[in-house]
Amino acid sequence: MTTGEHTMADAAAMRRALELAARGPARGVNPRVGCVILSPHGDVLAEGWHRGAGTPHAEVDALAKLAPGAAEGAVVVVTLEPCNHTGRTGPCAVALIDAGVSRVVYSVADPGDHSAGGAERLRAAGVDVTGGVLAEEVEAMLDDWLFAARHRRPRVTVKWAASLDGRAAASDGSSQWITGPAARADVHRRRAAADAIAVGTGTVFADDPALTARAPGGEFFDAQPIPVVFGRRPVPADAALTRHPHAPVFVEGADLAADLHELQVRGIRSLFVEGGPTLASAFLAAGLVDELLVYFAPVLLGGHRVAIDDLGIATITDARRFDFAAVERLGDDLLVVAHPRPTEGN
């Protein structure tokens, strides 16, 4: 929420705080946050940023660079509302009050159940507080973290590759490769951008996927998604995913909402669901899909191996509606990107 008036100097300092925030880790439980401390005359006294879970928050990092008493009457500009809880570190709101700052300028309100409320605590202590400065820019930077924090789950992307008639495999079960190299390269690029990649145990037994993100030449991308397996069946000890750079995470899949919350608590902000039809259908039926990526190949397969199983939809009026966000040509194939259509009242 925007409160109070902000100045050009506030905005300039916030842009610098955004630059500082970008130095922090892009993945994990905590957000990237930057902080600039200004004198009452607008001179920069100190800068700080958050370096990851367990390290000082941006405000405390900046305060630590000042001599005792040097922040008295200062203006603190920070990308996220100062926290109001004690975790591995103490509340930043209290640290700022103790330092004697006169004003705090922040961009986005903290959505956490336990960490929110820093702005009100500061106001109660007599500190002038302004929120909402450059909110759109900070929202864009913290997009995945804010989504996970607000929804208490990762953003879920479901992907499948299919023939023009909606089949994910031929009648004998063979599916490599329905799409061509350009489409497969696009999938691996998107895998690398996700925090985690998910399959069901059925896919593990049928395809033995490595669940890695690789460049067209076969080399690993620097960023690798954490492998997540949904299901109760034990995975073979020699499964390819056991050799993944990250240790696999196993969840039962009986309660997808609870499983997603567990992944969010682990610091997973985005989940790339690769397969198979049973798992993809379960996410769709539960209304837990935020984006669809459907790669269509110009082939016909026929048969019963459809890309999506029964969703429990009995009549056309109950159809799950999506809006097309993009259509892209990838070699001989087409990628269709779709987002769920908001329901009335949302």
Side-chain angles (χ1 to χ4, degrees):
M1 180 176 67
T2 301
T3 55
E5 298 293 332
H6 73 272
T7 67
M8 292 180 63
D10 294 339
M14 187 65 75
R15 287 196 173 86
R16 175 56 182 165
L18 267 169
E19 294 175 357
L20 295 167
R23 299 180 183 182
R27 292 181 174 179
V29 176
N30 289 7
R32 291 184 288 179
V33 181
C35 176
V36 176
I37 300 179
L38 303 175
S39 74
H41 302 293
D43 299 319
V44 175
L45 298 178
E47 298 179 337
W49 68 93
H50 183 53
R51 293 165 174 79
T55 66
H57 289 188
E59 302 95 316
V60 175
D61 183 53
L63 287 171
K65 296 169 183 175
L66 295 176
E72 188 80 31
V75 177
V76 174
V77 180
V78 60
T79 52
L80 187 68
E81 177 189 9
C83 70
N84 189 38
H85 81 301
T86 300
R88 297 186 189 182
T89 58
C92 291
V94 172
L96 296 174
I97 293 167
D98 291 345
V101 306
S102 64
R103 184 165 175 257
V104 171
V105 179
Y106 71 90
S107 180
V108 177
D110 191 320
D113 288 332
H114 305 295
S115 54
E120 289 307 313
R121 189 166 190 171
L122 287 161
R123 289 191 184 98
V127 179
D128 182 24
V129 179
T130 299
V133 178
L134 300 189
E136 288 187 7
E137 295 178 38
V138 176
E139 286 262 359
M141 179 184 197
L142 294 178
D143 178 52
D144 58 346
W145 181 84
L146 285 170
F147 181 96
R150 288 166 176 166
H151 295 272
R152 308 299 187 259
R153 66 170 178 84
R155 176 181 277 120
V156 175
T157 295
V158 170
K159 164 264 174 183
W160 67 79
S163 60
L164 287 178
D165 53 345
R167 269 55 182 177
S171 295
D172 65 355
S174 59
S175 61
Q176 296 182 342
W177 297 100
I178 291 177
T179 54
R184 296 198 296 274
D186 187 74
V187 170
H188 279 273
R189 179 182 61 81
R190 293 175 185 272
R191 284 184 182 184
D195 288 345
I197 179 172
V199 295
T201 51
T203 296
V204 174
F205 281 94
D207 299 336
D208 193 26
L211 302 184
T212 51
R214 303 179 301 278
E219 62 274 17
F220 281 14
F221 284 113
D222 291 337
Q224 290 292 321
I226 298 168
V228 178
V229 179
F230 285 80
R232 297 179 178 177
R233 284 189 290 172
V235 168
D238 61 347
L241 63 85
T242 63
R243 299 185 291 278
H244 194 283
H246 297 296
V249 175
F250 299 94
V251 291
E252 288 193 353
D255 185 339
L256 289 181
D259 292 336
L260 288 177
H261 180 64
E262 177 187 338
L263 296 178
Q264 186 253 333
V265 170
R266 288 173 174 263
I268 292 173
R269 309 173 186 177
S270 56
L271 183 68
F272 194 81
V273 179
E274 280 257 14
T278 300
L279 186 63
S281 302
F283 273 97
L284 286 165
L288 293 171
V289 176
D290 304 296
E291 182 178 62
L292 284 180
L293 302 176
V294 184
Y295 295 83
F296 283 108
V299 298
L300 297 173
L301 293 175
H304 64 285
R305 295 189 179 270
V306 292
I308 293 298
D309 294 331
D310 182 20
L311 298 180
I313 297 171
T315 178
I316 192 65
T317 57
D318 295 333
R320 299 296 174 95
R321 302 288 179 179
F322 285 76
D323 291 320
F324 292 130
V327 178
E328 185 176 349
R329 182 76 179 260
L330 297 169
D332 293 331
D333 306 314
L334 283 181
L335 166 62
V336 175
V337 182
H339 299 151
R341 183 173 299 175
T343 57
E344 291 186 11
N346 290 343

